[in-house]
Amino acid sequence: MTMSRTTLRYRTPASRWLECLPLGNGTLGAMLDGGTSVTRIRLNDETAWSGSPESESTGGLLDATSAAACLRQARDAVGAGDPMAAAQALLPTQVRYSQAFLPFATAELTREVPVTGYERELDLRTARHRTSGAGAVVETTFVSAPHGVLVHRIEGTALTAVELHSPHQVLASSTSADGTELLLRLPADVAPQHEPDAPAVTWPAAPGQSLEGAVVARVRREGGATLVVLATETTYTGLGQAPAGSAHDAAAVARQRVDRALALGWDELAAAHAHDYEPRFARSRIELGTPEQHAAVADLSPDERVRRAQHADTPLAADPGLLSLLFDLGRYLLLSSSRPGSLPPTLQGIWNEEMQPPWSSNYTLNINAEMNMWAAHTTRLPECAEPLHDFVAALAQAGEPTAERLYGSRGWVAHHNSDAWLLTSPVGGGHGDVRWSAWPMAAPWLARHVLDAVEFGAIDKAALRRMWPAVRGAVAFTLDHVRQEDGRWTSAPASSPENAYWTADGAEAALDVTSAMDLSLAYEACRTAIRVAELLEVDDDVVAEARERLTILPAEPEVATDGTLVEWASEHVATDPHHRHVSHLVGLYPGHGRWSERAREAAARTLAERGDESSGWSLMWKGLLWARLGRGERVESHLQPLLRDAESLSGPFAGGLYPNLFAAHPPFQIDANLGLPALLAEAVLQSHDGLHLLPALPPSLGQGRAEGLLARPGVIVDLTWSDGALVSARLRSGAGAIPVRVRWAGHHLDRVVTTEPLELVAADFTKAGRA
């Protein structure tokens, strides 16, 4: 068995969910086990959430007068040096929790696949799953974005049964000679695992209190093969909108899609899928390692490669091609979980097996939802960022009354968590820890994704105009919340998610007068609003205020007496010096990153003290920060812990990979998978301050090439390097002439990039001026 460089291939069926292989089209997710007598296709629908738009207000919302009193008490307590009293004052502002993204159903197909010669594989290049045995039996599966269905073809063996099962309430089921259907009702409420006193799952007492949905499967013989086509549908109507219709209505919609797909047949469906998916995936690529290194692992399955790398003295040098595979996998998962018109990926993308998933498999807004999109522009998948833009536009409308009610503020606010119903209040049910609940700065961070799209040349005027209310509202809230009082910056009660510090009397506290993260996000919010307003040729009081505020806001955090960055308003000692969150470095990455040398040195010292060990997503963020600092050896030290068997590790925050290469928080979270392509791209190409080639190449990745990466403001870049040094670069513009300064190894060139490729070699730089 020789592995393709874009294929995950295994010799045995999956025995559990974390061995299954994922498919998806942005809406319909599937996990396939490749079973030999019965194959199970575990189905997710991105709209299958517990609850309804009313879930946030269950138990009541604190009125504006009471909220103002709570906020005043908290601010007074922080000002008086009593963060514990401030925390207590904020508890009444909390609602219970977000709702959960849920598994939907499982399709079981009974047929026989010989164990002899068995293989199952996922080809990332084609987004097809394939199972085979003894050469005669072949099954192929894909999830079609153009037609909204899962397509499964069986050759060489007879399908004897198709069964559908679901963890939800089954309202009706039907089976006929050509297929089967399930009509379902979803829960009215699902509590997160960290709320053990709440009922885990609450079912609606009457119709209309939760979503309903349907799964439809049809079977048809086509030539010598059997075709199975599946579709899911729910009564979800849109972000924050009330459900509409019934399970019967959902079944009719799903049935129509299935019937339409069956009428087309395998060849047409497969061709449409290939035409839709393959050109997108092929836009960029990073290939690492030598032919000898590739040959050494050619017969190993992905999980075997992970274990081999884990036990090597230098994991990246032992198998650099594994990082190439993870780069491809991350882009594949992004394409499979985020498409125009869909919801953005959750903590688990669109794949979840549990009715009470970790952290509700929701939208965690203090890092994870943002990280999911960091590779969208650099690896040329801008359409994958559109669902987050849609989410932000809708969340801005939902967050306006919350900003007024809780803060008496202009604009809009969102906190730590959200869901498909657009929850914007702080969660915690009156007992949540303020180190994560009392963080109202999601709006400026989310709005900054619009600036990313602008800077990469990936958003048109019409889309930008649609996003302007969200951008304007984010900076309006921030201008009210992050302000100067008596010459001192305040955003009280401020936290630095999700960290805490020791008070003078030895207690753990999380609140302060302000935080480095709040100030950095305020700076970014002003930059975003000013840039978008310029492009749209709009000007008003909020934009004018943002321009004025930007001139006095700090562009980088303060440096403490010990040489690290100040995380809160004062030089507190963190309760966990190795904390996974590095919120106070947000301005370095994904922010503008143009810090002074003194701040950069302090950032390096801060990261060094945080340490290398952490959860998967934290490894990626810290690696990206080291990349911005030009420290390729430290990028390597954060990539290495990801190349571990996650199940051989212990501890609550130990990153690694599961057998199917899903990344561990632990447990599984998709943010590290989606963040890794961004990290590799940033290591070989940066463009936040001119165009920089190979700025932070890990030492063990001395041989490689990159194709089709995107640099600001819209330059497509191909690179080849050997022994850690640039061999050649190829630059071209997506549209128009773009003047750029290109840097490599301390030298720079000033060029104009057009649609005609500009070829550069290392000698061009060594003849040029010093950077």
Side-chain angles (χ1 to χ4, degrees):
M1 177 176 68
T2 300
M3 298 290 174
S4 161
R5 295 186 192 176
T6 60
T7 299
L8 280 65
R9 187 174 297 150
Y10 301 81
R11 301 176 184 85
T12 58
S15 61
R16 56 204 172 92
W17 195 82
L18 286 168
E19 295 176 358
C20 294
L21 296 174
L23 294 172
N25 64 359
T27 299
L28 174 60
M31 294 288 284
L32 288 81
D33 68 3
T36 52
S37 58
V38 176
T39 189
R40 291 171 180 84
I41 304 175
R42 296 163 172 86
L43 301 170
N44 288 101
D45 186 299
E46 64 157 3
T47 66
W49 288 74
S50 59
S52 72
E54 309 304 318
S55 297
E56 180 175 354
S57 60
T58 299
L61 298 174
L62 193 67
D63 64 89
T65 300
S66 300
C70 290
L71 185 60
R72 185 170 56 253
Q73 284 180 302
R75 285 175 171 169
D76 289 347
V78 167
D82 191 352
M84 315 308 286
Q88 284 297 121
L90 291 177
L91 294 181
T93 67
Q94 297 176 358
V95 300
R96 299 179 310 151
Y97 40 75
S98 79
Q99 289 302 310
F101 172 61
L102 302 173
F104 199 56
T106 298
E108 294 186 350
L109 311 183
T110 302
R111 75 286 171 273
E112 293 294 334
V113 175
V115 175
T116 304
Y118 176 91
E119 289 182 353
R120 63 184 175 99
E121 66 179 32
L122 173 62
D123 187 339
L124 305 175
R125 182 182 56 84
T126 63
R128 292 192 188 190
H129 182 278
R130 184 176 183 272
T131 304
S132 61
V137 177
V138 177
E139 294 182 89
T140 309
T141 317
F142 61 86
V143 181
S144 167
H147 295 102
V149 295
L150 180 145
V151 184
H152 183 89
R153 184 173 66 168
I154 304 169
E155 301 173 274
T157 190
L159 177 67
T160 58
V162 178
E163 297 180 10
L164 296 176
H165 306 278
S166 177
H168 302 296
Q169 289 183 343
V170 177
L171 302 177
S173 62
S174 62
T175 301
S176 64
D178 67 343
T180 184
E181 299 182 4
L182 279 184
L183 275 61
L184 306 170
R185 180 174 293 144
L186 279 64
D189 188 78
V190 172
Q193 295 175 3
H194 56 263
E195 293 287 351
D197 296 333
V201 179
T202 303
W203 297 99
Q209 295 180 345
S210 68
L211 290 165
E212 295 185 0
V215 190
V216 175
R218 290 281 183 271
V219 180
R220 196 189 80 182
R221 292 288 296 172
E222 185 181 72
T226 301
L227 206 59
V228 182
V229 176
L230 290 160
T232 62
E233 184 70 22
T234 75
T235 55
Y236 185 82
T237 59
L239 286 159
Q241 299 178 22
S246 66
H248 289 280
D249 299 324
V253 174
R255 195 180 303 124
Q256 186 179 50
R257 286 208 303 272
V258 169
D259 291 343
R260 191 176 297 145
L262 281 171
L264 295 174
W266 170 265
D267 288 344
E268 192 165 341
L269 290 169
H273 169 67
H275 179 77
D276 169 79
Y277 172 84
E278 292 181 23
R280 301 175 197 267
F281 180 81
R283 288 176 191 157
S284 69
R285 175 90 174 112
I286 292 180
E287 294 187 1
L288 302 167
T290 64
E292 293 76 18
Q293 289 170 321
H294 298 153
V297 297
D299 295 330
L300 301 180
S301 61
D303 53 331
E304 291 170 333
R305 291 176 67 175
V306 169
R307 289 190 292 272
R308 177 180 180 271
Q310 177 178 354
H311 296 297
D313 292 336
T314 310
L316 268 64
D319 191 357
L322 183 54
L323 285 175
S324 299
L325 184 63
L326 289 168
F327 178 89
D328 288 337
L329 176 63
R331 294 182 71 252
Y332 166 83
L333 292 171
L334 184 57
L335 261 173
S336 300
S337 62
S338 189
R339 290 293 196 97
S342 75
L343 296 175
T346 73
L347 281 173
Q348 297 180 199
I350 55 170
W351 301 278
N352 166 44
E353 69 165 337
E354 299 181 49
M355 283 293 285
Q356 199 179 16
W359 303 286
S360 300
S361 191
N362 64 15
Y363 299 117
T364 302
L365 303 181
N366 65 16
I367 173 61
N368 314 91
E370 291 87 355
M371 178 179 283
N372 283 351
M373 291 298 162
W374 285 352
H377 296 303
T378 54
T379 72
R380 295 178 64 208
L381 296 175
E383 63 269 51
C384 294
E386 291 182 24
L388 184 64
H389 294 171
D390 294 342
F391 179 78
V392 172
L395 196 66
Q397 296 183 46
E400 284 186 5
T402 310
E404 172 63 29
R405 178 174 57 84
L406 292 183
Y407 299 94
S409 172
R410 299 172 294 172
W412 64 281
V413 69
H415 295 80
H416 176 56
N417 289 153
S418 192
D419 53 26
W421 309 115
L422 301 179
L423 176 142
T424 58
S425 299
V427 298
H431 55 263
D433 195 324
V434 293
R435 74 183 71 190
W436 46 263
S437 68
W439 180 74
M441 294 295 285
W445 196 348
L446 289 168
R448 201 202 173 283
H449 282 264
V450 180
L451 183 60
D452 280 338
V454 167
E455 291 183 336
F456 280 98
I459 190 169
D460 60 29
K461 272 280 188 72
L464 197 59
R465 194 169 290 111
R466 184 175 66 86
M467 294 305 300
W468 172 241
V471 171
R472 184 184 185 277
V475 76
F477 174 81
T478 305
L479 291 167
D480 288 351
H481 189 69
V482 183
R483 61 209 182 280
Q484 280 191 320
E485 292 182 357
D486 301 323
R488 186 184 186 190
W489 287 107
T490 180
S491 53
S495 65
S496 184
E498 301 176 18
N499 208 357
Y501 61 88
W502 296 115
T503 64
D505 57 1
E508 286 192 56
L511 300 180
D512 203 349
V513 174
T514 192
S515 70
M517 186 186 209
D518 284 4
L519 296 177
S520 293
L521 290 177
Y523 188 90
E524 294 296 330
C526 292
R527 286 184 64 236
T528 300
I530 293 166
R531 179 68 175 132
V532 174
E534 288 173 349
L535 290 173
L536 294 178
E537 299 179 325
V538 298
D539 203 354
D540 60 19
D541 57 334
V542 170
V543 178
E545 193 175 345
R547 280 197 296 267
E548 181 181 353
R549 189 70 60 85
L550 188 64
T551 64
I552 58 174
L553 275 165
E556 58 194 34
E558 294 181 7
V559 178
T561 53
D562 67 356
T564 63
L565 293 174
V566 177
E567 187 166 357
W568 292 274
S570 303
E571 294 186 28
H572 300 301
V573 176
T575 58
D576 178 4
H578 306 303
H579 200 274
R580 64 198 178 280
H581 282 260
V582 282
S583 304
H584 48 320
L585 277 70
V586 68
L588 181 61
Y589 187 97
H592 64 98
R594 293 183 288 278
W595 285 8
S596 68
E597 191 56 37
R598 182 167 182 261
R600 290 168 64 86
E601 289 173 0
R605 184 159 183 172
T606 300
L607 287 168
E609 291 198 1
R610 275 295 206 260
D612 296 348
E613 180 62 84
S614 199
S615 56
W617 63 263
S618 181
L619 292 172
M620 296 304 98
W621 192 7
K622 288 188 282 189
L624 281 154
L625 291 162
W626 280 117
R628 280 282 168 98
L629 295 173
R631 297 285 297 276
E633 81 285 0
R634 298 311 298 261
V635 172
E636 177 158 338
S637 70
H638 284 76
L639 285 169
Q640 287 184 166
L642 191 69
L643 305 186
R644 302 182 297 188
D645 175 7
E647 293 167 317
S648 69
L649 308 173
S650 61
F653 309 115
L657 298 170
Y658 293 107
N660 61 0
L661 298 189
F662 275 178
H665 173 78
F668 161 57
Q669 282 187 192
I670 204 167
D671 33 35
N673 287 112
L674 301 186
L676 182 133
L679 175 51
L680 286 182
E682 196 77 10
V684 302
L685 175 68
Q686 293 179 20
S687 59
H688 59 285
D689 188 15
L691 204 158
H692 197 173
L693 311 181
L694 305 180
L697 188 68
S700 294
L701 305 183
Q703 305 293 125
R705 64 189 181 100
E707 296 179 357
L709 299 181
L710 187 66
R712 301 169 182 87
V715 178
I716 302 168
V717 179
D718 302 337
L719 296 170
T720 303
W721 62 94
S722 180
D723 296 324
L726 180 72
V727 174
S728 64
R730 188 172 186 260
L731 284 61
R732 60 196 187 280
S733 163
I738 301 176
V740 294
R741 169 159 287 193
V742 189
R743 290 187 291 154
W744 172 67
H747 300 273
H748 72 264
L749 298 169
D750 292 314
R751 294 288 187 270
V752 174
V753 180
T754 68
T755 54
E756 291 296 317
L758 171 65
E759 306 283 351
L760 299 172
V761 296
D764 294 322
F765 289 89
T766 55
K767 296 174 186 174
R770 302 292 298 181

